[in-house]
């Protein structure tokens, strides 16, 4: 820290309790009361330097008959500590003018009228010159001087000290430190010459320092009070500093003074990222509440400027501190804009209100999702996409909304065990996600199953209403297998699952046949000949055996499913006969909205016709002897599978 030495005399001041004495050998004839401190001094050194003290001493001397007069200078900036330095300056005692005391001395000198009219080289001109020529040229000194302005803010504002200091800091922060190298790197890096090379014992080494990142000033400005920090940010924005850099500084400042944000530290973050300094005494709840609202007001409303995890932490803190409704709404909108970047841990926000019964704040997540979907609609309008046969054609917004759908399904599975979570609230959150956003409904099925398990008192109609949220055609084979054996699902849903599972199995079987025939034909076309040796024949036989084993396993699975369907049909027919209806199965088929057997047969016939077409093409390319052998083995497998009837 730069300094200027004033005066040449040895220190002649001694403190005794709450009093200062000047030990020059002469008896004191003046007592200056500043706060609780008394200064026993002499009249002449003070009245010769200060216009205010001159008038006070003159008035006190005329009104008092005692040799030692007492004066009370009003509201000296900086209090007794600053007046001690002023008194030493008046006596010519050695004194150091630094960035830590220049603002106090400047304000006190202005207040006491220590101008050139009362002595050449007076304190006011000395302090002003040091501030302009030394302090403002250094980032570190400018920052230190601005920090001291809080104690004498009204006086510093009147002298434009705060404004000039903020403009100096903003100018240095908005300039690339790699362009000038110094004096920014004095923050802790190596000293440099004006040319930018590193200095060693004052000698230029020619080496260049490492590049500085754009967040080099975050930690320094975070030491400022909130009013001064706000003004500094405003000036930086007017100078054109990028919004993401400003947002990063705001996030750093918030983490420094909001203890709740540092409890959710992420170990995966880069080690080069600045870590907020832990304060010994955190601010009060009122101060934290004001800080959250100010951070929200200062943050630009743009996507991706700050991490989503930081926004969720800010929202949790806002809930605890009970900030204004507008602040809460803005934070929810900010999160909604980048919900696709969130994690499941972020969404699991506890309920901090006694009026809500649920363990997690589902209503807040619902509002955040609504904001995201509104933004997604705007994006889709800017880049329209079309939907054909229930399939969404690729668009720039498909990936984010798919990620959000997966995130919401995971969130539903986490909150589903809460017995206080009402069915309408669960359904509203699940139904808010568009159908095209879910490529598969496995995640939604898992959440529904957990909810049904945790809420066994739901009636059949409520279970059916809940299961209508998922599309049985979009369940994977594993999910279908689980659902077919799930006793918690309503009968209607199980029948639909079994129906579509059989369709998937038949489609898979037909596809296996087609792929097998195509591979055989293409392999022979590439080889240009039919394998006639023993090695080629053995390979063909082995492949045929592997395919046959796969078909047998598939046939066994289909047989098991048919047995389950048959048992279910018998149970439904018994129920129908008990009610006096002879056509119970037909009635159930109409109720479920499809004809199971006819669709099964049509699917079977289509697969067989496709297989026959492929066989006719392959026969033209194969040798009669080998084709006859492979055809017999293939036809036997196909005929055995095609003979399967679902009901």
């Amino acid at each position: 820290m730069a300094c200027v030495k004033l005066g040449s005399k040895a220190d002649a001041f001694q403190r005794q309790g709450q009093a200062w004495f000047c030990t020059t050998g002469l008896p004191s004839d003046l007592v200056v009361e500043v706060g609780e401190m008394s200064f026993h001094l002499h009249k002449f050194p003070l009245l010769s330097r200060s216009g205010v003290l001159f008038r006070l001493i003159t008035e006190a001397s005329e009104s008092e008959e005692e040799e030692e007069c007492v004066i009370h200078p009003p509201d000296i900036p900086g209090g007794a500590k600053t007046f001690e330095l002023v008194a030493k300056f008046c006596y010519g005692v050695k004194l150091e003018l630094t960035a830590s005391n220049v603002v106090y001395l400047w304000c006190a000198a202005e207040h006491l009228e220590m101008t050139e009219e009362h002595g050449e080289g007076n304190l006011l001109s000395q302090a002003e010159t040091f501030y302009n020529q030394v302090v403002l040229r250094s980032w570190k000194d400018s920052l230190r001087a601005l920090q001291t302005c809080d104690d004498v803010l009204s006086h510093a504002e009147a002298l434009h000290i705060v404004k000039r200091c903020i403009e100096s800091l903003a100018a240095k922060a908005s300039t690339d430190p790699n362009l000038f190298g110094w004096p920014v790197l004095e923050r802790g890096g190596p000293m440099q010459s004006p040319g930018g090379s590193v200095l060693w014992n004052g000698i230029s080494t020619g080496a260049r320092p490492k590049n500085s990142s754009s967040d080099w000033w975050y930690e320094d400005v975070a030491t400022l009070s909130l009013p001064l920090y706000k003004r500094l940010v405003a000036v930086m924005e007017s100078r054109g500093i990028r919004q993401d850099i400003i947002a990063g500084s705001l996030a750093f400042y918030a983490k420094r003074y909001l203890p709740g944000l540092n409890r959710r530290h992420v170990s995966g973050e880069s080690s080069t990222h600045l870590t907020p300094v832990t304060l010994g005494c955190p601010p009060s709840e009122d101060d934290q509440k004001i800080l959250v609202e100010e951070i929200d007001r200062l943050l630009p409303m743009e996507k991706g400027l700050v991490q989503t995890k930081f926004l969720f932490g800010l929202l949790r803190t806002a809930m605890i501190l009970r900030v204004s409704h507008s602040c809460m709404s803005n934070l929810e909108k900010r999160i909604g804009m980048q919900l696709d970047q969130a994690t499941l841990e972020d969404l699991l926000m506890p309920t901090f209100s006694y009026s809500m019964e649920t363990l997690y704040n589902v209503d807040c997540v619902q509002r955040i999702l609504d904001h995201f979907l509104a933004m997604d609609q705007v994006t889709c309008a800017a880049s329209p996409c079309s939907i054909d046969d229930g399939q969404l054609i690729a668009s720039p917004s498909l990936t984010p909304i798919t990620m959000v759908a997966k995130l919401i399904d995971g969130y539903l599975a986490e909150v589903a065990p809460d017995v206080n979570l009402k069915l309408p609230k669960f359904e509203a959150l699940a139904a808010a996600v568009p159908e095209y956003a879910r490529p598969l409904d496995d995640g939604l099925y898992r959440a529904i199953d957990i909810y049904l398990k945790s809420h066994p008192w739901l009636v059949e109609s409520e279970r059916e209403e809940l299961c209508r949220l998922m599309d049985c055609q979009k369940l994977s084979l594993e999910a279908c297998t689980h659902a077919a054996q799930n006793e918690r699902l309503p009968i209607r849903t199980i029948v639909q699952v079994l129906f579509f599972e059989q369709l998937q199995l038949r489609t898979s079987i037909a596809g296996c046949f087609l792929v097998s025939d195509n591979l055989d034909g293409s392999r022979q076309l590439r080889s240009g000949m039919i394998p006639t040796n023993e090695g080629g024949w053995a390979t063909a036989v082995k492949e045929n055996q592997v395919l046959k084993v796969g078909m047998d396993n598939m046939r066994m699975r289909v047989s098991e499913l048919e047995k389950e369907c048959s048992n279910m049909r018998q149970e439904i027919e018994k129920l129908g006969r008990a009610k006096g209806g002879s056509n119970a199965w037909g009635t159930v088929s109409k109720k479920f909205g499809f004809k199971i057997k006819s669709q099964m047969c049509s699917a079977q016939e289509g697969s067989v016709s496709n297989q026959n077409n492929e066989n006719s093409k392959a026969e033209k390319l194969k040798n009669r002897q080998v084709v006859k052998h492979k055809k017999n083995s293939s036809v036997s497998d196909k005929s055995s599978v095609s003979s399967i009837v679902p009901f």
Side-chain angles (χ1 to χ4, degrees):
M1 184 181 297
C3 66
V4 171
K5 294 183 179 181
L6 304 177
S8 57
K9 298 180 182 180
D11 192 356
F13 284 77
Q14 292 182 356
R15 179 174 178 175
Q16 298 179 5
Q18 293 296 102
W20 280 93
F21 295 90
C22 182
T23 58
T24 58
L26 298 175
S28 173
D29 58 357
L30 175 67
V31 177
V32 182
E33 299 285 349
V34 181
E36 298 180 356
M37 191 69 67
S38 300
F39 293 86
H40 298 264
L41 306 174
H42 304 86
K43 297 179 181 178
F44 179 75
L46 298 182
L47 59 84
S48 64
R49 287 288 188 176
S50 170
V52 172
L53 295 179
F54 176 81
R55 290 192 295 271
L56 291 175
I57 293 172
T58 302
E59 294 174 0
S61 300
E62 293 177 353
S63 61
E64 297 181 7
E65 297 179 356
E66 299 179 1
E67 294 182 358
E68 189 178 53
C69 64
V70 180
I71 61 175
H72 300 82
D75 301 329
I76 294 181
K81 188 174 182 180
T82 301
F83 186 78
E84 175 194 345
L85 299 177
V86 172
K88 289 181 179 181
F89 175 81
C90 294
Y91 277 85
V93 175
K94 292 180 181 180
L95 173 69
E96 283 190 354
L97 197 60
T98 65
S100 299
N101 60 26
V102 64
V103 175
Y104 296 118
L105 291 175
W106 188 356
C107 294
E110 178 69 22
H111 180 73
L112 296 173
E113 298 180 7
M114 301 179 70
T115 61
E116 296 298 306
E117 298 177 358
H118 299 278
E120 185 179 356
N122 212 342
L123 183 58
L124 182 60
S125 61
Q126 294 275 15
E128 185 175 2
T129 301
F130 176 76
Y131 183 82
N132 292 332
Q133 297 183 0
V134 179
V135 174
L136 293 183
R137 293 186 177 183
S138 168
W139 167 269
K140 192 173 184 179
D141 291 340
S142 298
L143 183 68
R144 181 60 187 142
L146 184 59
Q147 291 170 347
T148 60
C149 290
D150 283 320
D151 299 330
V152 290
L153 190 58
S154 59
H155 299 278
E157 290 284 8
L159 297 174
H160 304 289
I161 297 175
V162 177
K163 180 180 178 182
R164 294 162 67 182
C165 199
I166 287 177
E167 290 179 348
S168 174
L169 291 174
K172 292 178 175 62
S174 60
T175 306
D176 187 356
N178 297 318
L179 297 179
F180 53 88
W182 68 289
V184 172
L185 289 183
E186 67 184 58
R187 298 175 55 252
M191 295 297 296
Q192 301 178 31
S193 67
S197 61
V198 178
L199 295 178
W200 179 77
N201 289 342
I203 303 174
S204 177
T205 61
R208 293 286 175 176
K210 297 181 179 179
N211 294 334
S212 300
S213 59
S214 58
D215 60 358
W216 60 268
W217 49 273
Y218 285 4
E219 186 173 354
D220 289 339
V221 301
T223 58
L224 297 174
S225 63
L226 182 59
L228 294 179
Y229 176 77
K230 287 165 52 181
R231 294 178 58 178
L232 177 60
V233 169
V235 175
M236 287 181 174
E237 288 180 342
S238 65
R239 286 184 168 269
I241 294 184
R242 298 201 318 267
Q243 295 290 338
D244 59 324
I245 298 179
I246 296 293
S249 175
L250 291 169
F252 188 91
Y253 191 89
K255 291 177 181 178
R256 180 183 176 95
Y257 295 102
L258 296 175
L261 296 181
N262 296 323
R263 295 171 186 169
R264 303 177 63 85
H265 178 70
V266 180
S267 59
E269 292 182 356
S270 173
S271 58
T272 60
H273 191 273
L274 293 173
T275 303
V277 180
T278 303
L279 298 179
C281 181
S284 64
E285 288 189 4
D286 292 338
D287 292 338
Q288 293 184 43
K289 180 178 179 180
I290 294 173
L291 176 58
V292 171
E293 294 177 348
E294 289 296 334
I295 292 295
D296 171 67
R297 191 181 64 83
L298 294 173
L299 269 178
M301 188 67 77
E302 296 182 19
K303 178 181 179 180
L305 292 182
V306 293
Q307 293 182 350
T308 308
K309 188 172 293 294
F310 166 75
L311 292 176
F312 271 105
L314 205 60
L315 181 58
R316 286 188 184 89
T317 305
M319 292 177 180
I320 297 173
L321 298 175
R322 302 182 185 277
V323 301
S324 62
H325 177 73
S326 60
C327 177
M328 293 277 292
S329 179
N330 287 337
L331 291 175
E332 290 173 356
K333 289 179 181 178
R334 295 179 192 277
I335 296 175
M337 294 173 63
Q338 52 193 68
L339 183 58
D340 55 302
Q341 303 174 10
T343 62
L344 180 57
E345 182 185 5
D346 296 332
L347 289 181
L348 296 175
M349 294 178 291
T351 299
F352 298 104
S353 175
Y354 294 105
S355 60
M356 300 181 65
E357 299 179 352
T358 56
L359 178 63
Y360 296 105
N361 197 334
V362 181
D363 293 335
C364 181
V365 176
Q366 179 75 60
R367 292 191 297 268
I368 292 173
L369 178 60
D370 292 340
H371 290 311
F372 173 81
L373 295 176
M375 292 296 300
D376 185 72
Q377 290 179 358
V378 174
T379 306
C380 289
S383 57
C385 54
S386 60
I387 302 178
D388 293 334
D389 298 330
Q391 295 182 350
L392 182 70
I393 298 179
S395 68
S397 61
L398 178 58
T399 300
I401 196 170
T402 303
M403 296 173 62
V404 169
K406 183 178 180 181
L407 181 66
I408 295 299
D409 289 346
Y411 178 77
L412 289 171
E414 289 293 330
V415 301
D418 188 357
V419 294
N420 294 322
L421 180 60
K422 304 301 181 183
L423 180 61
K425 188 174 294 187
F426 183 88
E427 290 179 332
L429 185 58
V433 179
E435 293 183 3
Y436 64 83
R438 292 187 176 102
L440 288 176
D441 276 7
D442 289 10
L444 181 58
Y445 165 68
R446 175 172 174 268
I448 292 175
D449 184 40
I450 296 175
Y451 189 86
L452 292 175
K453 183 178 181 180
S454 303
H455 301 74
W457 53 84
L458 294 178
V459 298
E460 188 73 10
S461 59
E462 292 176 332
R463 293 171 180 266
E464 290 184 359
E465 180 183 354
L466 181 60
C467 291
R468 289 194 194 102
L469 294 173
M470 64 178 177
D471 186 357
C472 297
Q473 299 184 66
K474 295 167 65 175
L475 293 178
S476 65
L477 202 56
E478 293 77 8
C480 286
T481 304
H482 184 277
Q485 303 172 0
N486 193 343
E487 298 179 354
R488 290 182 288 271
L489 297 180
I491 297 178
R492 176 174 181 173
T493 303
I494 295 177
V495 172
Q496 290 179 348
V497 168
L498 291 173
F499 169 71
F500 291 117
E501 184 181 17
Q502 282 201 354
L503 285 184
Q504 291 182 19
L505 288 174
R506 293 185 180 281
T507 304
S508 301
I509 294 172
C512 290
F513 283 132
L514 297 177
V515 170
S516 176
D517 292 342
N518 291 336
L519 287 176
D520 290 339
S522 60
R523 187 184 298 111
Q524 293 175 9
L525 287 175
R526 287 195 301 268
S527 62
M529 59 179 294
I530 299 174
T532 55
N533 55 6
E534 296 181 357
W537 179 260
T539 303
V541 172
K542 184 179 294 186
E543 291 177 354
N544 193 24
Q545 291 177 349
V546 171
L547 182 60
K548 185 176 181 181
V549 171
M551 293 302 100
D552 291 340
N553 294 334
M554 194 73 71
R555 192 190 303 95
M556 291 175 62
R557 177 57 185 158
V558 172
S559 178
E560 293 175 359
L561 291 174
E562 288 178 349
K563 290 180 181 178
E564 293 179 4
C565 288
S566 178
N567 294 334
M568 189 175 299
R569 183 179 59 184
Q570 292 176 4
E571 293 178 2
I572 294 175
E573 289 178 351
K574 290 179 181 179
L575 291 175
R577 285 195 297 269
K579 294 181 180 180
S582 59
N583 296 326
W585 179 252
T587 303
V588 173
S589 299
K590 294 179 180 179
K591 180 181 177 183
F592 291 148
F594 51 80
K595 297 180 180 180
I596 298 178
K597 186 162 185 175
S598 61
Q599 293 191 28
M600 292 300 175
C601 294
S602 62
Q604 174 189 356
E605 293 171 358
S607 62
V608 173
S609 62
N610 291 335
Q611 296 163 14
N612 291 333
N613 292 335
E614 293 297 330
N615 288 338
S616 62
K617 295 179 181 179
E619 288 175 358
K620 298 178 181 180
L621 300 174
K622 298 178 182 179
N623 183 276
R624 293 182 178 275
Q625 182 178 359
V626 177
V627 170
K628 183 176 180 181
H629 177 81
K630 296 190 68 178
K631 179 180 176 183
N632 292 334
S633 59
S634 300
V635 169
S636 62
D637 291 333
K638 296 177 185 178
S639 60
S640 61
V641 175
S642 61
S643 63
I644 300 173
V645 179
F647 296 102

